[in-house]
Amino acid sequence: MLRSRIVGTGSYLPERVLTNKDLELTLDTSDEWIVSRTGIRQRHIAGDGEFTSDLATVAARRALEMAELEPTDIDLILVATVTGDFSWPATACLVQSQLGAHGAFAFDLSAACSGFVYGLATADSYLRSGNARRILVIGAEIFSRIVDWTDRTTCILFGDGAGAVVLEAHEGDRGILSSHLHTDGSQWGLLFQLGSGSRNPSCGQEGKNCLPHIHMQGNEVFKVAVRAMCEAAEEALIANAVDVGQLAYLIPHQANRRILEATAKRLGLPPDKLVMNVDRVGNTSGASIPLALDELNRCGGLSPNDLVLFDAFGGGFAWGSVLLRW
Ligand code: ACO
């Protein structure tokens, strides 16, 4: 059977680190409050001259290097982002150009924090149908440019970064086993960015019509996120007749520590199987899962045939899971 196997991972974090202590200087907040409510201690912030396509390109180069492939070996570049360089063209087009991946077609995918899981599922369809042989799936975000740095209820959560994987079609049992995606658009108003779309096209200019920032009802998002991530994880386990004890790792979207620990607890997952780096990078939205995956992979944490479950929830609401045999 043809399966989509990850043959390379890469990631990139901007150099500048913003700690909770730094935030204490400009906001009515404290390291103690942020750590106890979110588990986040610091986040990385893109430099003035850095854009989402730059972060994505570095992560992609590192993934290609690990896979021992050239950019010209890639058929499709898929960038999961909601903070792309522009509304259009797609950030994936800029990445294609920066990489020199001349043979690849490229597009962006907008599913907020679930973007990488949606990207894996989409790439898997292309690979198994034979419409592509090698695909770069990248999650890349610069949330620091869309958060309101005076709103302590949201700005403390997010960070910038990018992660990438190279997927290749292979015969055998290893690779993506299943994907389960879900959407409930009726709840979009609980988590969204008001400005920059057709409803508020003036955004980007100064003045009262400039509404670029994130709006979130944190308590409500928390409740729905835990429930939805548990359901998506269980769906994957049931569909593949896998017991939670057989998982090598759960790599969830790194929203915040409390969401992740509550999800793991409800699933009955031992704490050492929960992959978490939110303390060091914050919530990097679509970049969070491939960032955590690359970190785990590069420190030798993964062995062939390990069962790895990716699980995400975010704005839309959009959520889902992908189960993979490494
Ligand atoms: N520092 C200090 N005090 C704060 C801060 C802060 N940064 N932010 C809020 N507070 C205050 C509030 O003003 C409030 O004060 P009040 O009681 O005097 O009114 C108090 O703390 C409690 O506020 P809550 O919003 O009830 O705090 P809560 O315990 O719900 O924690 C949080 C907020 C961390 C956002 C939580 O709701 C949460 O984790 N939600 C999930 C949202 C999330 O992770 N979103 C990311 C995007 S979606 C995703 O990735 C899945």
Side-chain angles (χ1 to χ4, degrees), residues 99-280:
L99 286 175
H102 308 298
F105 66 107
F107 61 90
D108 287 358
L109 196 152
S110 170
C113 300
S114 297
F116 183 73
V117 163
Y118 269 59
L120 285 183
T122 306
D124 186 43
S125 297
Y126 274 98
L127 289 170
R128 283 190 298 107
S129 65
N131 286 320
R133 284 168 310 142
R134 290 189 194 101
I135 301 178
L136 258 173
V137 180
I138 308 167
E141 306 279 13
I142 300 189
F143 261 62
S144 64
R145 304 232 168 102
I146 64 162
V147 297
D148 177 352
W149 286 104
T150 65
D151 176 9
R152 66 178 184 172
T153 66
T154 53
C155 76
I156 53 134
L157 297 172
F158 297 97
D160 304 336
V165 298
V166 181
L167 282 165
E168 201 171 61
H170 280 271
E171 289 291 339
D173 290 338
R174 291 168 59 201
I176 292 179
L177 304 180
S178 72
S179 56
H180 296 89
L181 304 183
H182 298 282
T183 303
D184 179 1
S186 71
Q187 303 206 63
W188 70 267
L190 294 176
L191 178 60
F192 64 105
Q193 184 191 352
L194 192 51
S196 81
S198 62
R199 292 200 192 199
N200 292 291
S202 60
C203 186
Q205 299 164 12
E206 295 299 319
K208 65 180 169 57
N209 291 327
C210 183
L211 305 159
H213 299 137
I214 294 167
H215 294 252
M216 180 180 77
Q217 289 182 37
N219 284 327
E220 291 306 312
V221 172
F222 189 100
K223 279 185 261 174
V224 188
V226 174
R227 192 174 65 236
M229 284 174 74
C230 284
E231 284 172 9
E234 276 162 355
E235 209 176 357
L237 297 176
I238 290 166
N240 293 283
V242 167
D243 186 80
V244 72
Q246 292 173 263
L247 289 179
Y249 297 105
L250 171 67
I251 308 185
H253 162 53
Q254 308 284 309
N256 69 56
R257 190 181 65 206
R258 285 195 303 157
I259 288 183
L260 305 194
E261 287 180 346
T263 303
K265 195 172 167 197
R266 270 203 212 176
L267 289 172
L269 184 90
D272 60 325
K273 294 187 172 188
L274 175 65
V275 177
M276 210 163 24
N277 66 357
V278 70
D279 56 322
R280 283 169 285 123

